[in-house]
Amino acid sequence: LNSQVLCELPLPKSPTTSFEIASAGAAVIAQSAESDPAMPLGNLAIKGILAPAMKDRKNLSEENAMLAAGGSLLNASADGTVYLRRTVTTYKKNESGADDDSYKQLETVFTLSFIRWDWNSYMSNKYKRAKLAQDGYEYGEGQTVITPKKGRAEALSRFDYWMQIGVAQDAETFKEYLVAEINAQNPYRLDFLLPATLMKQLFTVATKLQFR
């Protein structure tokens, strides 16, 4: 299995059936992602799921092996509540067969999906019946004309919004590598390259304590 969108929620030895675990987990994930696609999908309680017996629960090395294999991490607290700890896809290799972790986190997929949807919705609503022209000219009042320069300004403005809502970061890199140009083969098409740096999630806090 090597999918950018397929996510497994294994909980070995749980008395609850696998399809019930998947359904309950998907409900919790969907609720969080709809609220904030970049928010970590960790430490979310999954209601209605029975935890494995204490002797059947995974240890740390087994949990790490599960994550490396492309399985998400679910574990249970002492009171038996099952929590979603890390949510990963089964994507491990790119089309060339090389190791690739770019789509490992499900939060990445959700964030990309949101940005794509938001940008397309923004442009299609604002420029429903727009004219397309090259840069360097001024047009009369009331004319809905978009140019590469104006398209670039729209992208920069929207990226600022994405930073404000916490789904993207690093405006300097975005501005430097942003491309907006009329397609060389199709004069009716405005092409964009949006080099967005996505917001990351905090999964580990590492500390070195020095004392005297």
Side-chain angles (χ1 to χ4, degrees), residues 114-177:
F114 169 79
I115 289 177
R116 180 180 60 181
W117 167 84
D118 181 76
W119 173 248
N120 289 339
S121 297
Y122 175 78
M123 291 298 288
S124 61
N125 288 331
K126 189 167 184 178
Y127 295 97
K128 286 182 179 179
R129 301 186 63 201
K131 302 171 186 178
L132 176 61
Q134 295 286 358
D135 292 323
Y137 301 94
E138 294 294 333
Y139 300 96
E141 184 178 351
Q143 291 295 314
T144 305
V145 179
I146 188 169
T147 64
K149 184 177 180 180
K150 191 171 183 179
R152 179 181 175 85
E154 291 286 9
L156 290 172
S157 175
R158 206 58 186 171
F159 189 81
D160 182 66
Y161 166 71
W162 295 334
M163 288 198 304
Q164 294 299 315
I165 63 173
V167 298
Q169 58 179 314
D170 192 359
E172 291 76 15
T173 298
F174 183 82
K175 183 177 181 179
E176 180 178 357
Y177 295 103

Side-chain angles (χ1 to χ4, degrees), residues 81-102:
T81 303
V82 174
Y83 288 90
L84 185 64
R85 299 301 186 187
R86 286 283 295 275
T87 312
V88 300
T89 70
T90 62
Y91 182 81
K92 295 182 286 293
K93 296 183 180 296
N94 61 22
E95 294 179 353
S96 301
D99 292 341
D100 184 3
D101 64 356
S102 57

